[in-house]
């Protein structure tokens, strides 16, 4: 239809957004990387690499919006250090690790889309590990090694 981008234009835009996300991730601009990958996913929701990359970006975020224990808003996006000293007095690693739930969801989608892509398993295992789900993380590593036994 007229006015609609064709598939090659969407692929070009997806590639551009992925490259922007990769650059942002490499340069430590993790929130920007998440945004770029999210925009690319909107255009190419079946591209497992985008979910893998966004999982990596989520895992590197050190920002949270609220304490998940008391639901106290922490104002904007405070750093991990300010969360640990927040007025609520809770020193909860849950608050600092909230982004790993997002990483886990993306890693699981990556695996669903590409079950033979071993990086999806490592992203999932890392997200589980950071949430304190050590047994599940170990099982995920084992599943990844079945897909790619030479990847240690």
């Amino acid at each position: 239809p007229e006015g609609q981008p064709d598939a090659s234009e969407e692929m070009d835009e997806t590639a551009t957004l992925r490259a922007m996300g990769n650059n942002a991730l490499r340069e430590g601009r993790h929130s920007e990387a998440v945004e770029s990958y999210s925009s690319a996913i909107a255009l190419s929701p079946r591209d497992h690499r985008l979910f893998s990359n966004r999982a990596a970006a989520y895992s590197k975020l050190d920002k949270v919006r609220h304490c998940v224990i008391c639901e106290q808003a922490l104002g904007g996006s405070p750093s991990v250090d300010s969360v640990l000293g927040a007025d609520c007095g809770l020193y909860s690693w849950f608050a600092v690790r909230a982004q790993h739930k997002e990483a886990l969801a993306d890693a699981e989608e990556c695996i669903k889309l590409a079950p033979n892509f071993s990086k999806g398993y490592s992203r999932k295992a890392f997200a589980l590990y950071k949430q304190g789900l050590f047994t599940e993380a170990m099982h995920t590593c084992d599943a990844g090694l079945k897909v790619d036994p030479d990847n240690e």
Side-chain angles (χ1 to χ4, degrees):
E2 196 171 315
Q4 295 283 330
D6 67 16
S8 65
E9 288 174 346
E10 283 186 359
M11 286 175 45
D12 289 346
E13 189 171 351
T14 299
T16 298
L17 289 164
R18 182 177 31 249
M20 288 169 54
N22 292 347
N23 288 335
L25 188 61
R26 190 173 22 260
E27 294 171 5
R29 295 177 283 121
H30 304 123
S31 293
E32 186 179 319
V34 167
E35 290 176 25
S36 294
Y37 294 134
S38 295
S39 296
I41 287 168
L43 294 172
S44 298
R46 310 270 319 139
D47 187 338
H48 66 281
R49 298 167 301 170
L50 296 171
F51 287 97
S52 174
N53 291 356
R54 189 171 69 176
Y58 274 129
S59 290
K60 291 177 184 253
L61 287 175
D62 66 351
K63 308 286 185 187
V64 293
R65 305 236 185 295
H66 67 277
C67 175
V68 297
I69 300 300
C70 68
E71 296 298 321
Q72 176 179 338
L74 297 173
S77 296
S79 69
V80 170
D81 292 337
S82 68
V83 169
L84 295 177
D87 290 339
C88 68
L90 293 175
Y91 293 83
S92 169
W93 66 268
F94 293 105
V96 212
R97 302 297 181 218
Q99 73 273 12
H100 294 294
K101 290 183 180 182
E102 299 290 342
L104 177 59
D106 277 356
E108 288 174 337
E109 184 64 18
C110 175
I111 292 167
K112 182 176 133 188
L113 292 170
N116 292 325
F117 184 64
S118 63
K119 195 179 280 189
Y121 295 90
S122 64
R123 302 276 196 234
K124 180 178 178 180
F126 185 74
L128 289 165
Y129 173 81
K130 294 303 269 184
Q131 293 179 69
L133 302 170
F134 306 118
T135 301
E136 293 91 336
M138 190 171 59
H139 290 304
T140 301
C141 287
D142 290 340
L145 286 172
K146 287 179 182 160
V147 168
D148 185 3
D150 297 327
N151 188 353
E152 296 190 30

